[in-house]
Amino acid sequence: MSDCIFCMLAGGEIPTATLYEDDDFRVILDAGPATMGHCLILPKKHYADIYEIPEELLAKAAVLAKKIAIRLTKAMGCDGFNIVQNNKPAAGQTVFHFHIHLIPRYNDDGQNILWKPGKLTDEARDEILAKFAEAGE
């Protein structure tokens, strides 16, 4: 997509701080990092979200996320790691080009990438299981 900022970044049309690149992906430092070393895995082809990206490419992205996380942990000496992938506005997606956030975490870094656990009731469990079964593959 010619007007997609992440397409332009992944394609090298806009200069980036690139950590890694291959035929399918470019990994860049996030311009608005949550923590030191926060980066993005961007596919070079445009897919809006997890619903559109081919499974083979998604699998490659997961393997790449692990490799980059291991290397960043070694390089940055972080204490933990968040790997975040948002889909659709309700889930916090703001750029509609599939991407994975790799966020090194440091003790007392002030970030709060967590949620407040709820409770799975028997009724909700049964409803979810029934709806999931109805949805098929």
Side-chain angles (χ1 to χ4, degrees), residues 102-135:
L102 300 175
I103 307 171
R105 297 305 303 274
Y106 306 91
N107 292 329
D108 303 316
D109 63 17
Q111 288 298 336
N112 197 14
I113 306 169
L114 304 171
W115 56 88
K116 189 176 184 179
K119 174 148 177 51
L120 179 63
T121 65
D122 292 344
E123 296 81 16
R125 178 201 61 219
D126 294 345
E127 179 182 349
I128 293 165
L129 289 172
K131 287 181 176 181
F132 185 79
E134 289 173 16

Side-chain angles (χ1 to χ4, degrees), residues 39-43 58 61-62 65 83-85 97-102:
C39 61
L40 303 172
I41 296 177
L42 305 173
L58 181 60
I83 298 176
V84 179
Q85 202 283 307
H97 179 114
F98 177 90
H99 58 287
I100 299 174
H101 291 265
L102 300 175

Side-chain angles (χ1 to χ4, degrees), residues 11-22:
E13 297 171 49
I14 298 174
T16 63
T18 299
L19 295 174
Y20 173 87
E21 182 177 8
D22 63 24

Side-chain angles (χ1 to χ4, degrees), residues 47-63:
Y47 306 99
D49 49 37
I50 200 166
Y51 305 105
E52 290 187 7
I53 191 168
E55 289 179 5
E56 313 80 52
L57 200 59
L58 181 60
K60 285 182 179 181
V63 170

